[in-house]
Amino acid sequence: MCIGMPMQVVAQHSESATCLYRGEESVIDTMLVGPQPVGAWLLVFLDTAREVLSETKAKQISDALEAMRLAMQGDNHIDHLFSDLVNREPQLPEFLKP
């Protein structure tokens, strides 16, 4: 199983970029997404960028990963990481609605 990490570009190279996640820099292959400007957010699997993300989507993914980390440590105080879901009724996707 592979989990995608949202990473922010801090330097662009020819077919790779230096990206930052939780304070650590990694060199990421960007051949699938093309060159990206500094500040762009990428969804990265196994040191390869697979998708360009909006800042909002990158934050949602980062928050979900943080919630998973906390839950694995036994901390159930994670509601603040899902503010878009708390206090609302679940909605079916359009393709499942009658």
Side-chain angles (χ1 to χ4, degrees):
M1 181 175 166
C2 183
I3 295 178
M5 309 297 239
M7 301 183 84
Q8 191 169 32
V9 176
V10 294
Q12 178 62 49
H13 315 293
S14 61
E15 293 178 345
S16 66
T18 302
C19 297
L20 193 62
Y21 177 71
R22 292 182 148 207
E24 284 193 37
E25 287 187 353
S26 300
V27 176
I28 303 301
D29 182 330
T30 57
M31 288 181 62
L32 294 175
V33 297
Q36 298 299 316
V38 170
W41 287 93
L42 304 173
L43 186 59
V44 176
F45 296 82
L46 301 173
D47 294 329
T48 301
R50 304 282 173 91
E51 182 179 340
V52 179
L53 300 172
S54 68
E55 185 174 357
T56 300
K57 189 70 169 174
K59 181 172 179 359
Q60 288 174 332
I61 295 169
S62 185
D63 286 350
L65 291 171
E66 177 64 8
M68 184 174 62
R69 186 187 70 76
L70 290 172
M72 289 173 64
Q73 293 178 348
D75 186 344
N76 63 356
H77 297 93
I78 60 174
D79 283 357
H80 68 283
L81 296 168
F82 297 103
S83 60
D84 60 324
L85 301 176
V86 175
N87 297 323
R88 75 171 179 92
E89 289 294 317
Q91 301 293 313
L92 284 174
E94 288 298 321
F95 69 92
L96 291 178
K97 291 181 181 178

